[in-house]
């Protein structure tokens, strides 16, 4: 049969394994594909922006994945309804006297200073921002996010070892950065024991919720998906993990993610 015959690619595509990073269209939905050799079962994640990620083991065929998505339709629809109910309401911030920014659950008022020193620093319960930086909103945004990254990393480095010991997993490396639509990630093979990456915005949350995010990622050292075994493991470390997840879902939709006010009051696009 000629290679150009349209029936050949369709049949082959059904039997061909999914490729990490590619997109699958199934049951009228578009899903980002994440392939892991550690996985044995298929799983789905609804991201914070409403997009869908399909997590599959290596050599998972398209037809198997499509059948799984169709079977999961009620679960997907329920999760999307819940997301609509808790639609994100991330604030827009301006760099002016009295504006508030949270760190580890506490509100800190912004004070503009001109005596030099670090562009952003926490002094006597107030967040000090250099006046020369404040007049350039995009620069101020970059400096404030850099402050969250530095301060959050110092805090996380102290918390990682106790949680790794409690969960009986090797202590991975940790970094704080923008991880997109997730609060944290774990990557196996990055360093001796893998690497946990935490979103800089997480450090606006109360400490017990940052701990939850850390433990959530450490659990992936043992179990890659979010099936029953995963939640059993996490529940042993944090008995109220479901309650913390609900609190994170509620507070997380109202965290500052870097949106800044422009001259007319509207949000500026990050540079």
């Amino acid at each position: 049969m000629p290679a150009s015959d349209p029936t050949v690619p369709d049949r082959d595509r059904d039997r061909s394994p999914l490729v990490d990073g590619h997109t699958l269209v199934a049951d009228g939905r578009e899903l980002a594909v994440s392939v892991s050799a550690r996985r044995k079962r298929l799983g789905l994640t609804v991201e914070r922006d409403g997009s869908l990620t399909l997590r599959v083991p290596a050599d998972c065929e398209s037809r198997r994945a499509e059948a799984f998505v169709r079977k999961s339709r009620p679960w997907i629809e329920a999760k999307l309804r819940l997301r609509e109910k808790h639609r994100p309401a991330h604030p827009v911030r301006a760099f002016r006297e009295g504006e508030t920014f949270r760190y580890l659950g506490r509100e800190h008022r912004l004070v503009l200073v001109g005596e030099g020193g670090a562009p952003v620093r926490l002094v006597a319960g107030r967040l000090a921002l250099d006046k020369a930086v404040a007049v350039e909103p995009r620069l101020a945004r970059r400096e404030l996010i850099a402050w969250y990254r530095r301060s959050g990393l110092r805090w996380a480095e102290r918390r990682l070892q106790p949680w790794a010991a409690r969960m009986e997993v090797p202590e991975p490396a940790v970094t704080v950065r923008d991880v997109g639509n997730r609060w944290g990630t774990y990557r196996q093979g990055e360093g001796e024991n893998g690497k946990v990456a935490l979103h800089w915005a997480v450090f606006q949350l109360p400490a017990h919720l940052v701990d939850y995010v850390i433990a959530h990622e450490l659990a992936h050292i043992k179990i890659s998906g979010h099936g029953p075994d995963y939640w059993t493991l996490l529940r042993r470390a944090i008995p109220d993990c479901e309650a913390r997840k609900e609190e994170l879902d509620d507070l997380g939709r109202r965290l500052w993610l870097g949106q800044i006010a422009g001259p007319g009051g509207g949000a500026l696009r990050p540079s």
Side-chain angles (χ1 to χ4, degrees):
M1 185 175 292
S4 59
D5 191 302
T7 62
V8 174
D10 287 343
R11 185 175 63 241
D12 289 346
R13 184 163 53 248
D14 287 343
R15 295 175 179 172
S16 61
L18 295 174
V19 178
D20 186 62
H22 282 202
T23 298
L24 175 73
V25 177
D27 198 30
R29 302 183 186 277
E30 190 173 283
L31 304 97
V33 175
S34 175
V35 178
S36 171
R38 300 171 63 215
R39 293 191 68 92
K40 295 181 180 179
R41 295 180 291 187
L42 285 76
L44 281 164
T45 301
V46 178
E47 307 294 354
R48 290 209 314 269
D49 62 357
S51 63
L52 296 170
T53 299
L54 176 65
R55 305 183 186 284
V56 302
D59 300 324
C60 177
E61 295 181 352
S62 296
R63 59 183 176 182
R64 178 187 173 192
E66 290 169 2
F68 175 77
V69 173
R70 287 193 296 271
K71 183 179 178 181
S72 302
R73 183 189 300 171
W75 181 90
I76 294 171
E77 291 176 347
K79 289 293 184 181
L80 290 175
R81 284 195 300 269
L82 183 63
R83 179 187 173 275
E84 185 65 23
K85 180 180 177 181
H86 297 288
R87 180 179 290 277
H90 302 298
V92 174
R93 291 283 188 255
F95 303 104
R96 58 190 174 214
E97 289 273 355
E99 185 72 274
T100 58
F101 291 88
R102 289 182 177 271
Y103 178 63
L104 295 178
R106 295 186 61 183
E107 284 193 347
H108 299 280
R109 291 194 176 277
L110 194 68
V111 56
L112 303 183
V113 297
E115 67 266 20
V120 181
R121 54 199 183 275
L122 195 57
V123 181
R126 295 198 173 189
L127 197 60
L129 175 66
D130 190 283
K131 290 179 179 179
V133 174
V135 296
E136 300 183 46
R138 288 190 173 91
L139 174 60
R141 175 187 183 274
R142 288 197 297 271
E143 292 292 353
L144 189 53
I145 290 174
W147 177 83
Y148 273 114
R149 292 182 62 179
R150 291 191 301 271
S151 301
L153 181 60
R154 287 194 297 269
W155 192 89
E157 286 175 335
R158 294 194 298 269
R159 301 295 289 168
L160 202 68
Q161 191 280 328
W163 278 108
R166 178 183 296 190
M167 302 182 72
E168 299 180 336
V169 297
E171 182 181 351
V174 62
T175 185
V176 176
R177 56 184 177 83
D178 189 332
V179 292
N181 292 318
R182 296 178 174 277
W183 296 127
T185 65
Y186 170 72
R187 291 286 182 266
Q188 187 183 37
E190 294 189 14
E192 183 179 356
N193 297 321
K195 179 179 286 188
V196 166
L198 303 173
H199 199 299
W200 62 265
V202 157
F203 295 94
Q204 298 168 66
L205 294 167
H208 71 283
L209 294 184
V210 186
D211 278 339
Y212 167 79
V213 175
I214 290 173
H216 183 104
E217 298 310 326
L218 290 177
H220 285 308
I221 296 176
K222 287 187 174 180
I223 301 174
S224 61
H226 292 96
D229 292 344
Y230 172 86
W231 289 105
T232 297
L233 172 63
L234 188 57
R235 199 175 293 113
R236 284 202 297 266
I238 305 180
D240 65 340
C241 61
E242 285 92 351
R244 294 199 199 190
K245 181 182 184 303
E246 288 183 11
E247 190 178 358
L248 174 62
D249 289 343
D250 180 47
L251 291 180
R253 71 190 184 93
R254 290 180 273 128
L255 293 184
W256 181 64
L257 296 183
Q259 299 92 329
I260 55 179
L268 282 178
R269 185 182 297 276
S271 57

